[in-house]
Amino acid sequence: MKRIALLSDTHGFLDAKILKYVQQADEIWHAGDFGNLEVADALAAIKPLRGVYGNVDGHLLRNIYPLHQKFFCEEVHVWMTHIGGYPGHYAPEVKNEINITKPDLFISGHSHILKIMPDKNIPGLLHINPGAAGIHGFHHLRTMVMFTIENKTIKDLDVIELGLRGSMKN
């Protein structure tokens, strides 16, 4: 059993709220747009980190983190990428392959829009976009997601609201 802290679109920002939650996890997964190497290194110093690079990440992060991560956590087949879209609206480079590989969990970031939904066309596929945990972008509320994977089951899914993007007082 593993407790996962999932975040995306930090854009170079970490605060005590994010750190509080990632410390409670067994693993941290970052769906791209770290923003800088310092964010990735800080997260990796806390718990094991899996990540993908996003469109704002430079060559240093792209040399460490891949565009796509495909792996198993427990018995759940995971595919994580930054620009992936969501069920019914997958990015072109994802659309064909997702129907072939049929992961159990598809994770993407990029949109800054929190979205958790099953794919009605691929039985057993859950899509999660954790929204944006950083303070840069058009989102109003900073979010991340925590969940547990036990064997083949994804459970105890919690949306974490980190406060308003424009105010560090929340």
Side-chain angles (χ1 to χ4, degrees):
M1 181 167 59
K2 294 208 181 211
R3 186 76 173 153
I4 308 301
L6 174 62
L7 60 158
S8 183
D9 296 282
T10 47
H11 291 267
F13 179 80
L14 282 179
D15 67 356
K17 290 179 182 179
I18 294 170
L19 296 174
K20 170 187 163 187
Y21 289 103
V22 298
Q23 289 169 354
Q24 299 171 22
D26 297 310
E27 291 184 9
I28 303 166
W29 297 356
H30 196 295
D33 279 1
F34 287 96
N36 59 46
L37 189 56
E38 291 77 16
V39 166
D41 288 347
L43 293 171
I46 296 168
K47 298 287 175 148
L49 174 65
R50 293 181 191 260
V52 294
Y53 72 79
N55 55 298
V56 304
D57 295 325
H59 73 279
L60 292 175
L61 287 160
R62 290 172 188 234
N63 286 335
I64 299 168
Y65 299 98
L67 177 61
H68 300 281
Q69 282 247 23
K70 296 177 184 176
F71 58 94
F72 279 85
C73 180
E74 299 269 320
E75 298 172 37
V76 173
H77 181 206
V78 181
W79 179 1
M80 181 167 51
T81 194
H82 184 60
I83 302 176
Y86 58 94
H89 302 279
Y90 291 118
E93 58 276 5
V94 169
K95 189 174 185 175
N96 291 330
E97 190 174 341
I98 203 163
N99 286 300
I100 295 167
T101 59
K102 293 182 172 60
D104 302 305
L105 178 58
F106 180 71
I107 296 169
S108 64
H110 185 62
S111 71
H112 293 218
I113 300 170
L114 173 72
K115 197 174 290 266
I116 301 168
M117 62 189 295
D119 186 323
K120 295 175 185 170
N121 296 314
I122 303 174
L125 172 60
L126 178 65
H127 165 70
I128 302 177
N129 182 322
I135 58 173
H136 300 290
F138 61 87
H139 59 285
H140 298 287
L141 185 64
R142 300 183 316 120
T143 57
M144 62 183 286
V145 174
M146 293 192 68
F147 56 94
T148 300
I149 295 179
E150 184 173 9
N151 301 317
K152 184 102 172 132
T153 304
I154 300 166
K155 63 181 188 175
D156 304 326
L157 199 139
D158 296 310
V159 171
I160 309 298
E161 295 182 353
L162 300 165
L164 297 177
R165 176 183 53 83
S167 173
M168 301 298 34
K169 295 178 182 176
N170 297 321

